[in-house]
Amino acid sequence: MDEIEKSTLPDSYVLMNKMGLDENEVARRKDWLEFTPDDEARLLELNEMAQGYATEVIEALYEHFLKFEDTRKFFENPTVLSRVKNLQKEYFLRLTKGDYTKNYIEERIKIGAVHAAIGLDVKWYLGAYNYYLRAVGERIFKAFKNNPDQALQAFFSLTKLVYMDIGLAIDTYIFQREMTISKQQEAIRELSTPVLQLREELLILPIIGAIDSQRARQLTEQLLHAIRDKRAKVVVVDITGVPTVDSRVANHLVQTVDATRLMGATLIITGLSAEVAQTLVTIGVDLSKINTVGDLQGGIEAADKILGIPVTGKHDDTLTSTN
């Protein structure tokens, strides 16, 4: 874990809020698992026993980890291995210390975030809990061999809490990965939709691929910033590479035309396919607000006319990205 900079890990309190893990949600999870005050009392009774078996169980667990190449790679450094063993011991001992409220949940979320950050797959995390439950279960039943019902109830209480931990860890994994995927998708969208400056006062926005509402909003934001920064008077948006447009995106396109006009620029759309044109007509888009030209070259020539540039049909144009 030393390889992870603390600054790269999300604040556990912030993470809890983003994941919606408030007191009501924690209570719902406990209710679903039927985790009651009686379970908490039984776990507290196991605490002294846990102090005795913790080191033995952890040593056996990490011997198991080191047998497998996929998990051994995380613990090749002896110093790291020793530190992680101590942390894991505290982690498991916390199961029998009671007070399973906000602070407990925050601790578990933080650990789940660390596991996600170092790339420890969920299957190894679940495997560790499986090993722990079996090892501790054996010890509980031995300790209460004269009272098997008490042993069973204690083991059930531990299992309930373990499954709450597992649920929290998996939720953290999923949330972290969704956030990573979202950031990657945003970066890809930004790279795939550059606003290009063809010449002074003229921008071109070539759009390729499907457009959903989120991407449409992002395109509009990029375009309006570029218009302001480059003091553009005309923008040519080429949608030759857009296969389909639904009603929400079409309406957003009209709003982009209006917003562009408010910024003091004219927007020209080129490359409308027959399918997209038919969709715009079918869904009743106000086409009177949209300037359309058949292809990109025609759009550039129309833009030149607006800018008062003589149209010769041949241009030595150099595109410059505004990003």
Side-chain angles (χ1 to χ4, degrees):
M1 297 182 187
D2 286 351
E3 290 81 2
I4 305 173
E5 294 292 336
K6 290 183 179 179
S7 59
T8 66
L9 296 174
D11 180 87
S12 53
Y13 178 76
V14 174
L15 192 56
M16 280 179 63
N17 287 335
K18 288 184 176 180
M19 293 172 62
L21 289 170
D22 56 18
E23 292 182 2
N24 290 332
E25 172 60 19
V26 173
R28 280 194 294 269
R29 294 190 181 216
K30 288 180 179 178
D31 288 342
W32 173 246
L33 293 168
E34 297 183 328
F35 186 82
T36 67
D38 288 340
D39 292 302
E40 185 168 341
R42 281 191 284 268
L43 290 174
L44 282 170
E45 290 175 359
L46 291 177
N47 189 51
E48 184 176 348
M49 184 194 308
Q51 298 288 340
Y53 64 61
T55 300
E56 183 181 353
V57 170
I58 293 301
E59 288 297 329
L61 172 62
Y62 278 87
E63 283 181 16
H64 186 69
F65 270 149
L66 295 174
K67 291 177 184 177
F68 299 89
E69 182 178 352
D70 289 319
T71 49
R72 186 169 58 245
K73 65 184 179 182
F74 292 102
F75 313 113
E76 292 175 344
N77 186 319
T79 303
V80 171
L81 177 60
S82 177
R83 184 176 294 112
V84 170
K85 282 182 179 180
N86 289 330
L87 290 172
Q88 190 73 64
K89 179 179 176 180
E90 290 301 317
Y91 177 82
F92 282 137
L93 283 173
R94 181 65 182 87
L95 289 166
T96 55
K97 291 184 177 180
D99 189 25
Y100 308 109
T101 53
K102 179 181 174 182
N103 289 338
Y104 179 86
I105 301 301
E106 189 173 345
E107 290 169 7
R108 271 20 195 177
I109 290 294
K110 184 184 298 183
I111 292 169
V114 170
H115 286 164
I118 67 175
L120 183 69
D121 285 343
V122 175
K123 58 188 175 186
W124 308 123
Y125 177 84
L126 295 179
Y129 254 131
N130 167 65
Y131 192 96
Y132 170 81
L133 277 176
R134 287 188 291 114
V136 174
E138 290 176 0
R139 288 163 173 79
I140 289 175
F141 281 96
K142 284 181 181 179
F144 297 101
K145 61 183 178 180
N146 295 325
N147 192 340
D149 184 65
Q150 184 180 359
L152 188 62
Q153 292 304 316
F155 183 71
F156 282 164
S157 295
L158 180 62
T159 301
K160 292 176 187 179
L161 185 60
V162 162
Y163 271 88
M164 187 167 76
D165 274 22
I166 289 173
L168 292 169
I170 291 176
D171 284 348
T172 306
Y173 270 80
I174 293 172
F175 183 82
Q176 292 283 82
R177 290 191 178 185
E178 285 180 346
M179 291 293 291
T180 299
I181 291 171
S182 177
K183 290 178 182 178
Q184 290 172 341
Q185 288 176 336
E186 184 177 351
I188 290 171
R189 282 194 294 267
E190 290 178 355
L191 290 172
S192 64
T193 54
V195 181
L196 308 170
Q197 183 170 24
L198 183 64
R199 63 173 65 86
E200 188 176 355
E201 298 184 330
L202 174 57
L203 301 177
I204 295 179
L205 175 59
I207 305 176
I208 299 174
I211 305 177
D212 55 19
S213 297
Q214 182 180 356
R215 189 183 181 200
R217 286 193 297 271
Q218 184 183 41
L219 289 171
T220 299
E221 290 174 6
Q222 286 180 254
L223 183 58
L224 296 179
H225 283 303
I227 291 171
R228 181 194 60 195
D229 294 341
K230 298 298 178 180
R231 297 183 177 180
K233 296 298 183 183
V234 185
V235 178
V236 178
V237 176
D238 183 65
I239 61 172
T240 303
V242 177
T244 58
V245 172
D246 63 20
S247 59
R248 286 181 297 178
V249 173
N251 289 324
H252 194 89
L253 198 58
V254 174
Q255 293 172 9
T256 302
V257 172
D258 291 337
T260 301
R261 187 179 296 115
L262 288 174
M263 296 287 289
T266 300
L267 189 145
I268 300 171
I269 296 177
T270 67
L272 278 170
S273 67
E275 292 78 8
V276 171
Q278 197 169 22
T279 299
L280 295 177
V281 172
T282 301
I283 62 180
V285 172
D286 186 359
L287 299 175
S288 64
K289 295 184 177 183
I290 303 177
N291 297 324
T292 62
V293 178
D295 57 23
L296 180 58
Q297 182 61 43
I300 293 173
E301 291 175 358
D304 284 345
K305 288 180 181 179
I306 295 173
L307 294 172
I309 299 174
V311 179
T312 62
K314 295 181 180 180
H315 299 292
D316 181 19
D317 297 320
T318 301
L319 294 175
T320 303
S321 173
T322 66
N323 291 355

